[in-house]
Amino acid sequence: MKFVIFSILFLIGLQFFLIQPFFHSGFFPTHDDIQIIRIFEYFQSLKFGAIPPRWSSGLLFGYGYPLFVFYSPLVYFLGSMFIFLGFNFLLATKIVFILCFFVGVIGVFFVVRFFVGPVPALISSIIYSFIPYRAVDVYVRGDLAEFFAYSFFPWVLLIKIKLLTNPKQKLLVPLLGIFLGLLIISHNISVFIYAIFLIACDGFYILNTEKKIRRLLITNLFVSTILGILISCFYWLPLIFESRFVQLDKVIADPYNQYFLTLNQIWDSPWGYGGFLQQNPMSLQLGKVIIIISFLAFILNIFVKTAFRKTVHFFSAVYIVSTLLETKITQFFWEIVTPLHYLQFPWRLHILNTICGIILIGFFVFFLQHLKIYQSKIGKLAFLGIMLFMIGMSVKESYSFFSAKSFTEAKPAAATTTGEEYLPKWVKQLPNNYPADKAEFLKGNGKIENIEWGYSQKSITVVSQQETKIQIAHIYYPGWIAYINNKKSDISYDNKFGQMEINVPKGTNNIVFKFERTWWRWLADIVSVIGLLTVVYLIYINYRKKVELSK
């Protein structure tokens, strides 16, 4: 236990050397300032009572954007919680990025420790700390949601493996349900990759489980998966239902086959801060240490008889297949399995093959540790020397990558998403500046007074001696309802920006536009509450049984 505590403290300390750019006061690494804007929007929505937030009124120059209907909300919720605790937007965003470093490395430590013990876990976790793709995700791409999912996944895998190897631990069923639910709302593209791996993992363990407990195992996996799906229903159901309203086809407009890696790029590629197809492109090498040692683990597994032989074969197979899928060698497969196109970039599979590679490194260290040649004093010194050499090579290869090219002052912007893929289909032209007026007359004239521009509600008072038509500087989206003097009124939006228009009778009229739950959002939210209550109930009864059995 002392070694485990020492290992965790050491790994936490090590991360501080990798997050130095975040201590740059008042500024933020380039490309990451968009995350501050998103956390700001999520916080504002929560502050004004939108639970869960779906519409972002401040985006797209204040015309609004349905970002959180489609974009995974978990990291932005966490950032908002830090703001509610008193941190400013910049610091809250930095804290979430920094937490990902700690969460990921400690999760990897416990996963590897579960398989092969604390010493291999420490070695593999140190090497994991210096994986090049971690640096790419943070200091080049600035993809907070993907980095969080990347860091959180080892914990999901840990709970999953524990349940697969001991299906009688009933408390793990609702616990896995919670972790799966959180994973689903962390980053949707990553979830697609991890889901395929977890299904394969389930199949592997089911086939290698004794028949007498196989039914129990399948039942537990089914229940935990359903719980995860129910808990996250508030997110994925509106996402699926509302995809028809937006230009989601832009996600795959850029052909995936432009982004295949060559074997040389996987082995070694120069470090850069540009996009994959730009000048000075980012490096997408796996890491020489991972490639070499994971291969050696596979070879040793053939010659060293252990209880892990099939497990090592499984992780090796996933590692090899996921790596090959990043190359043009497997383009024929991408053309057959068209849902893969939604990954956008084949090299996203780095979030899977790097984890598998690190686990294989843990097995390699375990195999060396138990070879007879390393049992003597000289052998133990040789073992220590090999471990230090592995760590040294990993640090030498990647440490310099964990730095920002430059720093940029975090400023408010009209940022949405790169391809505007969540823009409603009825928006004919993209706004390129803030509106001159919040509301204006399209027909007739009069006065527009008492403008209140909230996040989920916009209200104005229109005074006119004739029937008029007004337009407000905000895009229509399902859920926006107009009320004239507390009575529902029809909204039209057939204009270039898709702005909301309404006919107003003569006289003095109080007009309110509210963003409300549609019936499918109500259904999704209710299902999530039911799922959460079910998880709480299952945890309670299983914990109670455990306490009673211990008496």
Side-chain angles (χ1 to χ4, degrees), residues 158 168 192 240 281 305 308 319 324 339 350 357 381 400 418 431 502:
L158 176 65
K168 292 182 180 179
F192 178 71
I240 293 172
K305 291 184 179 180
F308 305 115
Y319 172 74
L324 288 176
H350 270 26
L381 286 174
S400 61
T418 304
I502 188 172

Side-chain angles (χ1 to χ4, degrees), residues 8-37:
I8 293 172
L9 292 176
F10 177 82
L11 291 169
I12 289 173
L14 179 61
Q15 303 313 298
F16 279 102
F17 289 97
L18 305 177
I19 59 176
Q20 290 303 310
F22 288 96
F23 296 124
H24 195 288
S25 178
F27 289 81
F28 216 68
T30 301
H31 299 311
D32 295 348
D33 53 337
I34 191 173
Q35 306 299 338
I36 303 172
I37 299 163

Side-chain angles (χ1 to χ4, degrees), residues 19 138 156 224 300 381 390 394 446 451 462 518 540:
I19 59 176
V138 176
V156 180
S224 60
L300 275 176
L381 286 174
M390 286 165 48
S394 181
I451 299 175
V462 176
T518 56
Y540 170 74

Side-chain angles (χ1 to χ4, degrees), residues 283-298:
S283 173
L284 289 165
Q285 63 190 52
L286 267 180
K288 298 182 185 69
V289 174
I290 293 181
I291 293 172
I292 294 171
I293 300 178
S294 57
F295 175 75
L296 292 175
F298 177 75

Side-chain angles (χ1 to χ4, degrees), residues 500-529:
M500 290 184 275
E501 302 172 354
I502 188 172
N503 293 312
V504 183
K506 65 179 181 180
T508 300
N509 296 280
N510 183 39
I511 303 171
V512 178
F513 294 85
K514 289 184 180 179
F515 189 72
E516 300 179 349
R517 284 181 174 88
T518 56
W519 67 265
W520 60 85
R521 292 177 196 149
W522 272 112
L523 175 63
D525 294 346
I526 291 170
V527 170
S528 287
V529 171

Side-chain angles (χ1 to χ4, degrees), residues 52 82 120-121 131 144 189 215 217 253 258 266 314 350-351 383-384 411 414 423 437 443 451 457 478:
F82 286 113
I131 285 178
L144 178 56
I189 295 178
R215 180 177 294 180
L217 178 57
Q258 296 184 49
I266 290 174
F314 171 74
H350 270 26
I351 65 174
F383 173 79
L384 179 61
K411 297 178 180 179
L423 194 68
D437 300 300
K443 186 178 75 173
I451 299 175
Q457 180 171 309

Side-chain angles (χ1 to χ4, degrees), residues 287-465:
K288 298 182 185 69
V289 174
I290 293 181
I291 293 172
I292 294 171
I293 300 178
S294 57
F295 175 75
L296 292 175
F298 177 75
I299 298 300
L300 275 176
N301 187 57
I302 296 173
F303 296 103
V304 180
K305 291 184 179 180
T306 69
F308 305 115
R309 175 165 288 187
K310 289 183 179 180
T311 304
V312 175
H313 283 329
F314 171 74
F315 281 106
S316 297
V318 174
Y319 172 74
I320 293 168
V321 170
S322 57
T323 302
L324 288 176
L325 282 171
E326 296 179 331
T327 70
K328 207 154 191 170
I329 297 169
T330 56
Q331 184 173 349
F332 73 94
F333 186 76
W334 284 76
E335 292 172 357
I336 296 170
V337 187
T338 53
L340 286 174
H341 300 182
Y342 282 95
L343 295 184
Q344 298 173 281
F345 318 120
W347 44 258
R348 280 189 192 271
L349 289 164
H350 270 26
I351 65 174
L352 179 58
N353 56 21
T354 51
I355 294 294
C356 290
I358 287 297
I359 292 173
L360 289 172
I361 288 175
F363 281 113
F364 173 77
V365 175
F366 175 81
F367 292 152
L368 284 188
Q369 195 179 14
H370 289 81
L371 288 175
K372 289 183 180 179
I373 193 174
Y374 294 114
Q375 301 308 308
S376 63
K377 287 185 178 179
I378 296 177
K380 288 178 180 178
L381 286 174
F383 173 79
L384 179 61
I386 292 172
M387 296 303 104
L388 291 175
F389 177 75
M390 286 165 48
I391 292 170
M393 290 301 294
S394 181
V395 174
K396 182 179 182 298
E397 180 182 21
S398 307
Y399 177 69
S400 61
F401 299 165
F402 289 83
S403 61
K405 177 185 177 183
S406 59
F407 293 87
T408 182
E409 188 174 358
K411 297 178 180 179
T416 49
T417 51
T418 304
E420 305 296 354
E421 61 268 27
Y422 307 136
L423 194 68
K425 288 182 176 179
W426 45 87
V427 177
K428 302 179 181 69
Q429 182 179 325
L430 195 67
N432 58 10
N433 209 337
Y434 290 95
D437 300 300
K438 297 293 186 184
E440 61 180 339
F441 288 100
L442 294 179
K443 186 178 75 173
N445 55 66
K447 292 182 180 179
I448 298 176
E449 304 173 332
N450 305 323
I451 299 175
E452 294 183 9
W453 212 250
Y455 260 66
S456 301
Q457 180 171 309
K458 324 285 182 183
S459 64
I460 59 175
T461 300
V462 176
V463 181
S464 177
Q465 299 301 316

